[in-house]
Amino acid sequence: HGRGYAVRIYDPYVSIASVCGANREYINGVIPHVARMLTADFTEFLEHAETLVIGNQSPLFRGLLKKVNSARPIVDLVHLLDRRKARPLARRAAAGIGAEA
């Protein structure tokens, strides 16, 4: 849709094709561009991403994160990463450091 950030979503548990009923009508009518954001290719996803946001606690994502460059910022919304090994940005975000008042 051309505004804001170029977002890619990698979640093998999400399939637009399997959505039905009112949810499908909402997606098609209000956010039809979400289908273009989804990718089933983790490598493609990583090549695109500057910052990763984790919103799923699946062990699959913990394994995939081992493939991520350690310098890449990660925002862990579900505390998937061990806090002792969390990236500095994730620790700072969790502490509210750098957030605007």
Side-chain angles (χ1 to χ4, degrees):
H1 70 102
R3 294 177 284 174
Y5 293 96
V7 174
R8 291 286 183 272
I9 301 168
Y10 174 79
D11 190 338
Y13 304 113
V14 174
S15 170
I16 297 296
S18 66
V19 177
C20 58
N23 291 333
R24 186 175 195 82
E25 289 175 24
Y26 179 80
I27 289 171
N28 289 334
V30 180
I31 54 171
H33 56 281
V34 77
R36 291 189 307 271
M37 294 178 183
L38 288 169
T39 180
D41 184 338
F42 187 69
T43 302
E44 173 194 335
F45 171 76
L46 280 181
E47 288 171 358
H48 174 83
E50 293 177 17
T51 300
L52 301 176
V53 178
I54 303 170
N56 188 317
Q57 292 184 353
S58 169
L60 167 70
F61 292 99
R62 183 172 291 142
L64 291 172
L65 286 173
K66 292 177 183 177
K67 299 178 180 182
V68 175
N69 179 332
S70 63
R72 190 173 315 217
I74 296 176
V75 179
D76 184 359
L77 301 175
V78 294
H79 307 289
L80 183 64
L81 300 172
D82 180 20
R83 287 189 177 268
R84 291 171 290 151
K85 295 180 182 176
R87 306 298 197 309
L89 179 64
R91 286 195 302 264
R92 291 179 60 200
I97 299 170
E100 295 183 28

